[in-house]
């Protein structure tokens, strides 16, 4: 049986996660209360062409399990991959909090009345009752879905799990679509989250490869000179 010291040494890489999440949730809860009364409305023309489709509430709710399972898997399986995933997620989530603090935002996309009555519209109604239509930009559902999928694709432990990697991509894409189809986010929130995720992917996962390529080019120039 492992001692407390051995457990601490083995799992201490999870301390940043234990510190960051309460801070994030506290800050977010404060924003939800503060920004519900006065905020700038986010809306683009494309929002008006996206139909309401309540079945997408399924992947929307699956996001919570998806991100948590990926983070926990990396926590137990690969410390370096865990650090990279947390760096990706924490950076985007912090940027989101700062933006929402400096520029309170929201939307008026939600339906006044559900077009149908079924288990999915009831789930959406429940969601809307819990989550205010504020603090939307960029979409953390979109950004963290990208982060979870990038972590899966870059994980050495999952390199040979083609089916799992494909399933992760399908789920991440479904979650991204869900944010618009159940009127949780504007297209603007989604596009900007994708842009931020793309930049962060380069910084977190591609930086070493980019730096190595630059060094290789420099060495070739020196040799040829």
């Amino acid at each position: 049986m492992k001692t407390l010291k051995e457990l601490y040494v083995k799992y201490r890489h999870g301390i940043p996660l234990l510190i960051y999440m309460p801070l994030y949730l506290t800050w977010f809860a404060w924003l939800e209360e503060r920004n519900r009364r006065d905020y700038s409305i986010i809306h683009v023309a494309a929002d008006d062409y996206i139909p309401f489709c309540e079945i997408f509430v399924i992947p929307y709710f699956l996001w919570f399990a998806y991100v948590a399972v990926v983070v926990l898997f990396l926590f137990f399986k690969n410390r370096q991959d865990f650090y990279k995933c947390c760096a990706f997620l924490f950076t985007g989530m912090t940027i989101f909090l700062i933006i929402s603090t400096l520029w309170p935002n929201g939307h008026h996309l939600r339906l006044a009345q559900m077009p149908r009555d079924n288990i999915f519209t009831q789930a959406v109604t429940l969601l809307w009752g819990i989550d205010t239509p504020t603090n939307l930009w960029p979409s953390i559902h979109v950004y963290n879905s990208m982060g979870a999928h990038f972590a899966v694709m870059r994980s050495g432990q999952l390199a040979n799990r083609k089916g799992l990697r494909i399933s992760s991509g399908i789920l991440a894409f479904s979650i991204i679509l869900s944010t618009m189809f159940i009127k949780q986010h504007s297209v603007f929130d989604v596009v900007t989250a994708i842009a931020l995720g793309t930049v962060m992917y380069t910084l977190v996962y591609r930086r070493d490869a980019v730096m190595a390529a630059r060094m290789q080019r420099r060495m070739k120039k020196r040799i040829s000179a």
Side-chain angles (χ1 to χ4, degrees):
M1 186 175 180
K2 293 184 181 296
T3 65
L4 289 177
K5 182 178 180 180
E6 289 173 330
L7 289 173
Y8 169 76
V9 171
K10 185 176 181 179
Y11 297 121
R12 62 186 176 185
H13 56 286
I15 292 176
L17 178 64
L18 294 177
I19 294 174
Y20 182 79
M21 286 311 300
L23 291 175
Y24 173 82
L25 293 173
T26 301
W27 192 345
F28 180 77
W30 174 73
L31 288 172
E32 283 286 274
E33 181 61 30
R34 188 199 72 161
N35 294 349
R36 70 173 61 197
R37 292 179 293 273
D38 185 21
Y39 55 84
S40 299
I41 298 174
I42 293 177
H43 182 271
V44 295
D47 294 331
D48 300 328
Y49 294 95
I50 297 177
F52 174 78
C53 188
E54 65 269 23
I55 197 170
F56 274 93
V57 74
I58 296 176
Y60 189 89
F61 276 129
L62 284 176
W63 173 84
F64 296 96
Y66 176 48
V67 175
V69 167
V70 170
V71 171
L72 286 175
F73 173 82
L74 298 177
F75 172 76
F76 288 110
K77 292 297 184 179
N78 191 302
R79 183 175 299 191
Q80 291 304 313
D81 287 346
F82 173 77
Y83 283 146
K84 288 183 178 180
C85 182
C86 286
F88 184 101
L89 299 180
F90 294 176
T91 301
M93 292 162 71
T94 302
I95 291 173
F96 157 77
L97 290 173
I98 293 172
I99 290 174
S100 295
T101 300
L102 298 178
W103 187 60
N105 55 83
H107 69 61
H108 292 167
L109 299 175
R110 293 181 176 181
L111 307 181
Q113 184 175 357
M114 288 295 174
R116 296 165 291 278
D117 182 22
N118 54 51
I119 189 172
F120 304 117
T121 55
Q122 291 169 15
V124 174
T125 300
L126 176 64
L127 173 64
W128 288 356
I130 298 172
D131 187 21
T132 68
T134 58
N135 310 311
L136 306 170
W137 177 51
S139 169
I140 291 301
H141 252 67
V142 172
Y143 180 85
N144 281 6
S145 295
M146 294 175 67
H149 181 59
F150 291 155
V152 169
M153 296 301 292
R154 302 289 295 193
S155 170
Q157 282 76 15
L158 301 176
N160 297 321
R161 302 291 297 273
K162 184 177 180 180
L164 183 61
R165 288 150 63 98
I166 293 174
S167 298
S168 173
I170 293 173
L171 178 56
F173 185 65
S174 299
I175 292 170
I176 291 172
L177 291 179
S178 76
T179 63
M180 296 177 286
F181 279 117
I182 65 170
K183 302 302 178 180
Q184 279 292 95
H185 282 281
S186 165
V187 172
F188 178 79
D189 308 326
V190 173
V191 171
T192 50
I194 291 174
L196 177 60
T198 302
V199 171
M200 284 306 302
Y201 175 78
T202 301
L203 294 176
V204 174
Y205 290 103
R206 296 292 299 169
R207 182 179 57 181
D208 294 341
V210 171
M211 292 300 293
R214 288 179 179 176
M215 289 297 295
Q216 189 175 18
R217 287 196 297 268
R218 288 176 184 176
M219 289 299 294
K220 287 182 179 180
K221 288 181 178 179
R222 290 177 182 177
I223 294 173
S224 61

